[in-house]
Amino acid sequence: QVQLQESGPGLVKPSETLSLTCTVSGGSITYYHWNWIRQSPGKELEWIGNIYYSGSTDYNPSLRSRVTISLDASKSQFSLKVTSVTTADSAVYYCARCILGTSRIFDSWGQGKSVTVSS
Amino acid sequence: EIVMTQSPATLSVSPGERAILSCRASQSVTTNLAWYQHKPGQAPRLLIYGASTRATGVSARFSGIGSGTEFTLTISSLQSEDLAVYYCQQYNDWPPERAFGQGTKVEI
């Protein structure tokens, strides 16, 4: 059974870049879409974007200008960068896999990584 | 932009009773609708996709129905392990600015 684990700093300063990595184990990274989703306190889940194993990406239009998702298949990892962060980017960040053959339905999730933006 | 609205915000149900959760889309999403269960401290779990198809390993106590703008998730014979927040997600309009509803918290 595939497992996903987020890692990275839990505290980021305003205006800096948030960087997280998701490590995939127990399954192949090939042929799937891999996603980042976040949830700020008291708010709904927000899809950030995804990357296909081939490297093609898709992003939430509201975040596209600040977000980059990349993938390292040799390490079974994919990563998220969010630039110019503000307190509004404080959230629990989840990585998730899509159902094989889809790019929009999330069938496996990590436990989440809490990130606080504060000076 | 499609907005997903869930009701009620909180649902109190006794063990063994049936829970009915609603999700409404601001415009048609056909049957491109998924439901997720999120327990405190755990990873969210896919329950239903295609509005009515149960994901692998999901109990038959969970059922989904609907199309267009109105959707329902029913949990028959509620158990204590079902305490969680349930989210609906549309995937008809992609990439979305907002894909998820705000959630329904099920209390036992």
Side-chain angles (χ1 to χ4, degrees), chain A residues 35 37 39 43-47 50 58-62 64 94 99 103-112, chain B residues 4 34 36 38 41-46 48-50 87 89 91-102:
Chain A
N35 302 263
I37 297 162
Q39 186 170 36
K43 293 199 168 184
E44 65 204 46
L45 292 162
E46 180 180 38
W47 178 77
N50 69 21
D58 203 4
Y59 298 116
N60 185 318
S62 68
R64 181 176 289 136
Y94 298 94
I99 291 177
S103 62
R104 308 177 183 187
I105 310 168
F106 317 110
D107 71 341
S108 296
W109 297 62
Q111 297 276 2
Chain B
M4 308 303 293
Y36 300 85
H38 192 190
Q42 296 187 20
R45 178 192 180 199
L46 174 67
I48 302 282
Y49 61 96
Y87 296 96
Q89 176 227 337
Y91 51 95
N92 192 67
D93 174 44
W94 209 264
E97 290 194 12
R98 298 174 65 182
F100 294 89
Q102 79 278 24

Side-chain angles (χ1 to χ4, degrees), chain B residues 14-51:
Chain B
S14 298
E17 291 187 343
R18 184 175 61 181
I20 300 175
L21 290 66
S22 295
C23 176
R24 174 177 293 178
S26 59
Q27 57 187 276
S28 177
V29 297
T30 64
T31 56
N32 293 320
L33 191 286
W35 290 93
Y36 300 85
Q37 176 192 63
H38 192 190
K39 296 181 181 180
Q42 296 187 20
R45 178 192 180 199
L46 174 67
L47 296 176
I48 302 282
Y49 61 96

Side-chain angles (χ1 to χ4, degrees), chain B residues 2-78:
Chain B
I2 297 177
V3 178
M4 308 303 293
T5 303
Q6 293 185 242
S7 61
T10 303
L11 184 61
S12 295
V13 185
S14 298
E17 291 187 343
R18 184 175 61 181
I20 300 175
L21 290 66
S22 295
C23 176
R24 174 177 293 178
S26 59
Q27 57 187 276
S28 177
V29 297
T30 64
T31 56
N32 293 320
L33 191 286
W35 290 93
Y36 300 85
Q37 176 192 63
H38 192 190
K39 296 181 181 180
Q42 296 187 20
R45 178 192 180 199
L46 174 67
L47 296 176
I48 302 282
Y49 61 96
S52 61
T53 301
R54 274 188 297 276
T56 303
V58 174
S59 169
R61 295 187 297 105
F62 294 90
S63 62
I65 195 169
S67 66
T69 62
E70 300 284 344
F71 301 89
T72 300
L73 174 71
T74 299
I75 312 171
S76 64
S77 187
L78 200 81

Side-chain angles (χ1 to χ4, degrees), chain A residues 9-50:
Chain A
L11 181 64
V12 182
K13 290 182 169 56
S15 79
E16 295 190 345
T17 296
L18 179 159
S19 296
L20 295 174
T21 296
C22 182
T23 300
V24 179
S25 59
S28 175
I29 205 165
T30 309
Y31 301 127
Y32 289 93
H33 286 82
W34 302 94
N35 302 263
W36 288 99
I37 297 162
R38 71 181 183 181
Q39 186 170 36
S40 300
K43 293 199 168 184
E44 65 204 46
L45 292 162
E46 180 180 38
W47 178 77
I48 299 170
N50 69 21

